[in-house]
Amino acid sequence: MTDLSIRRASAEDLETIHKIEKECFLSEAFTKEQIEYFLAAPNVINLIAELNGKPVGFVTGSLEKYEGEVVGHIYSVDVLEKYRRRGVASRLIEELEKAFAQEGVRTCYLEVKVDNIAARSLYEKLGYRAFEVLLNYYGIGAHGIRLRKRLSNPSP
Ligand SMILES: CC(C)(COP(=O)(O)OP(=O)(O)OC[C@H]1O[C@@H](n2cnc3c(N)ncnc32)[C@H](O)[C@@H]1OP(=O)(O)O)[C@@H](O)C(=O)NCCC(=O)NCCS
């Protein structure tokens, strides 16, 4: 894929990100207010993927303190259905990991629904490994898994 670019999102991207989020999630989508908060929060990194200038996906993650260490916590990665299986989500996460690494992060976490096969396969491929089962995390009977990746040799 030659014309894929990744850039930091700004407040002007609120509508775009909200639209992508609504298209990707029938339920459990972040609200516009939540996205607005993410775009303004100093500890949150929001990246947008553009294909030939068209926004097709985004990733959001925050820098958090966990057991005395600054870690990266990936909240969401979404790619419009039409543009999936082209490596967009992989690039977004790789770029987020680089941004995290520049802030001193060595470990990334994320949560995913047990039945989200696409996302679980993506994370597995990128080196994320399960370490905690989260019973009823997404509602009664909707279990989650917490995954972790050590950024031992982050890319420059
Ligand atoms: C999960 C999601 C972000 C993947 O985006 P994507 O741009 O298609 O992912 P990539 O092209 O980078 O895929 C990388 C690898 O992930 C795996 N993968 C991605 N989608 C998959 C699917 N539907 N089924 C099985 N494996 C899949 C494959 O190993 C793939 O590599 P390959 O295409 O060479 O086989 C996308 O399906 C999506 O937006 N889903 C809805 C939102 C969502 O569930 N987000 C995750 C919330 S935790």
Side-chain angles (χ1 to χ4, degrees):
M1 185 179 301
T2 49
D3 291 324
L4 176 66
S5 61
I6 310 289
R7 65 170 174 84
R8 294 257 181 167
S10 69
E12 287 81 66
D13 296 304
L14 175 61
E15 296 296 334
T16 301
I17 293 177
H18 186 228
K19 193 162 172 280
I20 295 173
E21 177 77 0
K22 279 194 302 182
E23 276 192 51
C24 288
F25 288 99
L26 299 177
S27 60
E28 299 156 0
F30 285 124
T31 63
K32 197 185 269 190
E33 289 69 28
Q34 285 171 312
I35 296 167
E36 197 168 23
Y37 168 80
F38 293 148
L39 289 168
N43 65 321
V44 178
I45 297 172
N46 304 277
L47 302 178
I48 289 197
E50 291 178 332
L51 200 52
N52 301 320
K54 176 187 164 56
V56 296
F58 74 94
V59 66
T60 297
S62 72
L63 294 155
E64 296 174 7
K65 267 274 176 78
Y66 182 74
E67 294 179 348
E69 186 193 344
V70 180
V71 300
H73 185 184
I74 300 177
Y75 292 153
S76 188
V77 56
D78 299 359
V79 175
L80 291 176
E81 196 163 5
K82 198 173 155 195
Y83 301 96
R84 290 180 190 166
R85 300 308 285 266
R86 303 185 191 195
V88 175
S90 302
R91 268 289 306 281
L92 280 166
I93 292 175
E94 283 161 11
E95 293 300 323
L96 181 61
E97 289 173 355
K98 281 187 201 168
F100 278 154
Q102 281 166 8
E103 300 294 333
V105 166
R106 290 293 169 267
T107 309
C108 289
Y109 293 89
L110 58 84
E111 294 82 27
V112 61
K113 258 185 166 175
V114 287
D115 60 0
N116 191 340
I117 301 303
R120 288 185 63 183
S121 305
L122 165 75
Y123 300 138
E124 170 81 15
K125 189 170 183 182
L126 293 177
Y128 288 79
R129 299 291 177 258
F131 78 103
E132 198 177 359
V133 174
L134 305 164
L135 291 177
N136 303 313
Y137 189 74
Y138 295 97
I140 307 281
H143 308 310
I145 305 175
R146 183 164 285 137
L147 308 178
R148 174 173 57 195
K149 177 179 177 180
R150 305 272 188 212
L151 303 182
S152 49
N153 293 304
S155 310

